[in-house]
Every structure is written in C-alpha cells, then in structure tokens.
Amino acid sequence: MSDPSAASRPVQAVVLAGGQGSRLRPYTDDRPKPMVEIPGTGTPIIGHQLSWLAEEGVTDVVVSCGHLAEVLQKWLETADLPVSVTTVVESEPLGRGGGLKYAAAHLPHPDQPWYATNGDIWTRFSLRDMADFHTERDAVATLALARPRLPWGAVKTDGFGRITDFIEAPPSTFEINAGVYVFSPGFAGLLPDRGDHERTTFPRLARERKLAGFTIPQGSYWRAIDTAKDLTEAAKELAASGR
C-alpha cells in the first residue's frame, strides 16, 4: 500500500557549501569546510550529507560552492555519489539569501518542494518526518531545531544560593536553528536577490504564521562543525555510537 504522504516529500535538495571556515584553520587552508574529514571516517562532511539525503529519498542535489570551489568540485566529479549532483558558483557574493535563491534556480523540479542544509552540519534524523510535519502545518518554510550542549559545565543551586549539583555540558534550554530546512515550491520567490533571508524572508514568514520549527527528535545526532574541537568531539561521539 503506497504512503499518501510520500508525494509531498522532497526529492531534491540544496547544500550550502561556500563558507570560508576560518575557525577551522589549518584544516580549511587547502579545502572548503564541507571537504574536511571527521577523523577516523575517511569521508568529508559533504560525503556523509549526500549519503544521508539519498537515504531520505533525495535524488538530485545542487551544491552551492564558494571558498576553494575547485577542490570540492573535483571531489564531487571523482567520488562515487548516491545522488545526481550539480554545482553552482556565485560570480559575485550574493549573501546567504541571494546565494540560496541562486542555487534553488538550478533545482530540476522548480514546482516541487526541496530540502536545504548548511554544508558544515553533521546530523542524522528523519527528513521524511520533517517533510510530513511541514506539510501538516501548511508551512512555506520549516526549520530543524536543535538543543546544542553548552561548551561549559553548569551548576544547580537551591533557593538559598547553595550549590546542589554540577552538570557537565548540559543541553541548552533554548532551541536553535539547526541548519536543515524544508521549503515549499514558492519559497524561492520570496528570497532576496542579495542579502540575508534570515533578516528578511524568515521574519516575514514568522509574522504570517507560515514558518514552522521541527524539533530534532531526542537521541538523534546533530553537531555543527565550526572548530577543531568540534572535529575531535564528533570523532569521539561517532566512535562511541558506532555510526
């Protein structure tokens, strides 16, 4: 029996892979951030992202390149990929929103929904469930939300100012934008040609109650790879989990 929800789930995605990755130096001196390997895996971050997207039903991916684009393009041309990949490079900086709009213009099915993900995110959760959540809420855009662990230990106190407990790297009490999205077909037309959609398009959709937030399920893996410490921590976590 066919799943009626499957028809509204995206089969195309954009990966935003143009960042400088300055906080990851020296790893990013000779490669863009998504080409950095998690120690012990033998595969760059983007390789794992493309595998994840394929597992979630995606067949076509547009990779938006920037810093050291030729390194990423060469790897994509020679790697055995599970999806069909097109690369685009901005001829001039368009900003995050403009870059996303430029990449979206190269998707093979402009009349269908699409996923997008930042090129430095390492995660595993059900994109199919997120797409269904997006459809159920009649959203124009849905953001994945995560509760990252704080990089510091925390303390608990009682009502009299006495410390009662220490908690190592607790999860944040706030949810953050996890850098993974579901967009309806019309979303690209709402993006600026230049500039940052997180300052224009997203606030507008929030006011119109057309922006949804999908909390990544508890127990699912998520980490943004921003620093050398993130690489080390991700390697430890992946080794412990057997991923």
Side-chain angles (χ1 to χ4, degrees):
M1 186 174 169
S2 62
D3 182 350
S5 301
S8 60
R9 293 172 187 155
V11 295
Q12 55 186 357
V14 167
V15 175
L16 298 170
Q20 290 279 343
S22 54
R23 288 197 292 162
L24 260 176
R25 287 179 177 149
Y27 297 99
T28 50
D29 284 345
D30 63 351
R31 68 195 64 197
K33 202 174 180 185
M35 281 299 298
V36 173
E37 293 181 9
I38 305 294
T41 68
T43 304
I45 297 168
I46 194 165
H48 290 275
Q49 288 187 324
L50 294 176
S51 294
W52 175 49
L53 290 168
E55 290 164 10
E56 294 294 325
V58 171
T59 57
D60 293 271
V61 176
V62 175
V63 178
S64 178
C65 308
H67 174 63
L68 296 173
E70 64 281 359
V71 177
L72 178 52
Q73 288 172 320
K74 185 175 180 182
W75 183 82
L76 290 168
E77 287 166 9
T78 56
D80 182 16
L81 302 176
V83 292
S84 175
V85 172
T86 302
T87 60
V88 297
V89 183
E90 299 166 28
S91 57
E92 55 184 320
L94 299 174
R96 289 195 296 177
L100 187 58
K101 186 173 190 174
Y102 180 69
H106 294 78
L107 288 166
H109 310 291
D111 59 338
Q112 295 180 19
W114 46 293
Y115 297 116
T117 180
N118 295 346
D120 58 357
I121 300 298
W122 187 293
T123 187
R124 281 290 187 279
F125 65 91
S126 174
L127 283 175
R128 291 181 173 91
D129 287 351
M130 185 176 172
D132 292 347
F133 178 95
H134 171 84
T135 301
E136 287 160 7
R137 279 148 189 81
D138 194 27
V140 172
T142 296
L143 286 59
L145 305 176
R147 289 185 187 271
R149 291 199 167 273
L150 298 179
W152 316 281
V155 294
K156 274 191 173 179
T157 59
D158 63 16
F160 300 98
R162 289 185 289 256
I163 291 174
T164 59
D165 200 4
F166 293 88
I167 307 162
E168 186 62 34
S172 166
T173 55
F174 292 98
E175 292 181 310
I176 65 161
N177 179 351
V180 181
Y181 312 91
V182 182
F183 297 133
S184 293
F187 176 76
L190 303 177
L191 287 166
D193 293 328
R194 291 172 182 272
D196 188 350
H197 60 293
E198 296 194 10
R199 294 174 183 269
T200 55
T201 311
F202 280 174
R204 172 183 160 191
L205 289 174
R207 289 192 297 271
E208 295 172 356
R209 299 293 186 266
K210 291 290 187 179
L211 188 67
F214 174 82
T215 300
I216 294 175
Q218 193 170 2
S220 297
Y221 188 75
W222 180 88
R223 180 179 281 276
I225 309 296
D226 287 321
T227 65
K229 185 179 180 184
D230 290 324
L231 279 175
T232 305
E233 293 297 318
K236 283 185 199 167
E237 290 160 357
L238 292 167
S241 68
R243 282 185 179 86

